[in-house]
Amino acid sequence: MDRAVALLTKRVRALGPKRRTGLRDHSPAGSRELGADVFTLMARRAVWEWLGDRCGECHGAIVGEIQDATHPLGGRLFCCIACGGTGRRRYPDAERAGALRLPVEVYRRNWARQFAAVLAMLDRFDGDTERRVRQQLAPVAQSKNVA
Ligand SMILES: [Zn+2]
């Protein structure tokens, strides 16, 4: 886990080298001595959210169900409103800013997009893993079809 965070921190730092000014460390003085700059905090927070990011309403299923006895299927499905159909829990800016030890305005102005990019990056990792697993399973599935 710590290794994953360290790796991700590196990637986060590398995300926007062209806009150095927007990427300045806004941590309050002293937090550096604790060995956690805003990049590390962001990576840690992103991994934390990513690992436990299921929407509390639909639990990641993205669709919710309303029981409806008059409906032929006994209920109606709807896109989860709580997560907007992403299946992911939505965290308030204030909570994220707190995790990054930043004032909310600073977080919104300089870090919110970056944070979204980090989460998207983690999703891509996830997608790559899935693809690799599927590729490894493909020959097995094909041999079944032949037999
Ligand atoms: Zn949901």
Side-chain angles (χ1 to χ4, degrees):
M1 171 77 173
D2 279 351
R3 229 184 121 218
V5 170
L7 269 171
L8 188 62
T9 304
K10 259 188 173 174
R11 301 281 293 254
V12 175
R13 269 183 223 284
L15 259 183
K18 284 170 202 159
R19 285 185 59 237
R20 265 287 161 234
T21 46
L23 295 170
R24 213 147 349 109
D25 190 343
H26 290 279
S27 305
S31 65
R32 259 179 194 290
E33 280 122 60
L34 297 171
D37 64 15
V38 70
F39 293 103
T40 311
L41 292 172
M42 184 182 284
R44 203 178 288 162
R45 171 74 191 188
V47 169
W48 182 84
E49 282 193 16
W50 187 63
L51 289 174
D53 70 346
R54 288 284 147 85
C55 167
E57 287 300 314
C58 68
H59 305 285
I62 294 171
V63 288
E65 191 179 358
I66 303 173
Q67 299 296 321
D68 181 358
T70 64
H71 194 275
L73 298 173
R76 277 179 296 165
L77 298 177
F78 64 95
C79 186
C80 178
I81 303 159
C83 64
T86 62
R88 171 171 288 156
R89 187 189 300 261
R90 277 188 186 170
Y91 293 92
D93 284 350
E95 194 185 322
R96 286 176 169 169
L100 268 53
R101 298 177 197 162
L102 297 168
V104 181
E105 327 82 66
V106 174
Y107 168 76
R108 285 203 181 119
R109 194 168 55 233
N110 296 332
W111 297 98
R113 289 175 85 186
Q114 184 109 347
F115 193 84
V118 175
L119 282 175
M121 195 192 281
L122 284 170
D123 280 343
R124 277 202 300 280
F125 285 161
D126 209 23
D128 286 346
T129 311
E130 257 184 67
R131 206 172 311 132
R132 218 169 303 137
V133 170
R134 226 176 292 145
Q135 275 169 1
Q136 283 168 359
L137 290 177
V140 180
Q142 275 165 7
S143 68
K144 247 187 198 167
N145 287 341
V146 172

